[in-house]
Amino acid sequence: GFSARALAQRLRLVGVEPASIAHCVLTHEHGDHVRGAAEAARRWGWTLHATTGTARGTADLKEGGARTFAAGASLDLDAFTVDTHRAPHDANEPVVLLVTAKAGGVRAGIVYDLGHVPADLPERFPDLDLLVVESNHDEGMLRAGPYPPSVQARIAGRSGHLSNRAGADFARRCVNRNLAHVVLAHLSEKCNDHGVAVTGARTTLARTSYRGGVHAAPQHAPIGPFLQRASRAAAVSQLSLF
């Protein structure tokens, strides 16, 4: 959702040169998720990957030569395998992602922009080391917030966005002995509060065996990198959010 210039600035803040990136997997066609991707691909040689529906809904992706796949496909991308799963969101063919490092098996789940959690979705994210999960809004703040009723209904609907409560519950269902970090993402600037979101997630996770970190990703700066538990694997993998 950023210009190539902004992407470069954020990447370099976490020690990543833009040209070192080989692949960019897009979750859906909304502007705050695809803006800048085609420009970055042209400038730095990234290979873009998007569902057929996502590519169809974005002129830049067609021009950028994005490789298309069907929601539910597994992508073999050099050192990583990316399993995709259809997400309930108001986009053409949105997906959430499970990224697994081939060396060591470290896993990151990227689960945002979905209006509800299908019953079988958490079981598709086993043995995670890191979970990035949507925590878009506080339900009370959304009702009392500045949006008109139609927008509130869209955000809270089954094809909208996860609330703090729903995101925390998803995280609870993903707890395992390797999970070291839960990162709350896609927080609304008008209908949420970082402290409220983090406190709620920590309270929910305190009822489980989870003893890792809970972080809220800011909108205006990168966060990370995040490392797996020392006992997980000899190979070091990391993920930064920008």
Side-chain angles (χ1 to χ4, degrees), residues 31-170:
D32 58 332
H33 293 268
V34 299
R35 188 181 302 113
E39 181 187 359
R42 288 191 294 269
R43 183 174 297 190
W44 299 304
W46 297 2
T47 299
L48 302 180
H49 303 264
T51 64
T52 302
T54 295
R56 186 172 62 245
T58 313
D60 280 353
L61 295 187
K62 296 177 184 176
E63 297 170 5
R67 297 182 182 179
T68 59
F69 61 90
S74 292
L75 311 178
D76 188 343
L77 306 181
D78 300 336
F80 300 93
T81 299
V82 180
D83 294 310
T84 72
H85 304 288
R86 184 70 183 251
H89 189 53
D90 54 0
N92 286 332
E93 193 181 359
V95 290
V96 293
L97 310 173
L98 172 63
V99 183
T100 305
K102 293 178 182 177
V106 175
R107 282 184 163 176
I110 301 172
V111 183
Y112 48 57
D113 279 40
L114 64 167
H116 70 279
V117 177
D120 64 342
L121 191 62
E123 67 189 42
R124 297 178 183 272
F125 288 82
D127 207 22
L128 292 178
D129 296 80
L130 179 143
L131 172 64
V132 181
V133 63
E134 181 169 53
S135 190
N136 176 257
H137 59 276
D138 172 82
E139 291 160 302
M141 291 177 69
L142 177 63
R143 289 191 295 271
Y147 295 123
S150 60
V151 176
Q152 292 185 27
R154 181 253 167 184
I155 292 171
R158 290 180 64 78
S159 295
H161 295 282
L162 293 186
S163 67
N164 291 341
R165 180 175 55 84
D169 188 63
F170 185 94

